[in-house]
Amino acid sequence: MSQGSAPRQPALFRDPSSFVGPLVRPDSIHALLARECHALFPDELFLDLFAAGVGRRSVAPLVVAVVIVLQ
């Protein structure tokens, strides 16, 4: 299975922080993960878990790591 990658730049008109931002406290775990998720869980950190070029692309490891933290 090849590793999926997390988007580094939000799509235009699809960034939820513009309308959700006022509802999330800046000191909450949700705000911290939104700000720091790419630094905490870079795609390169998970390269050894995926065989190159075999199978379909997976869900980005960053997404899985953030979901596990929130659970």
Side-chain angles (χ1 to χ4, degrees), residues 3-67:
Q3 176 181 356
S5 60
R8 298 279 180 181
Q9 181 177 358
L12 187 61
F13 303 119
R14 297 182 74 190
D15 184 15
S17 64
S18 61
F19 55 89
V20 176
L23 303 174
V24 177
R25 290 188 6 226
D27 60 342
S28 70
I29 186 69
H30 304 96
L32 173 77
L33 287 172
R35 282 190 313 267
E36 304 294 332
C37 65
H38 290 288
L40 292 171
F41 308 111
D43 289 335
E44 298 78 29
L45 188 65
F46 301 94
L47 285 177
D48 60 334
L49 299 176
F50 299 89
V54 178
R56 297 187 325 183
R57 295 181 64 90
S58 68
V59 174
L62 174 135
V63 173
V64 176
V66 169
V67 168

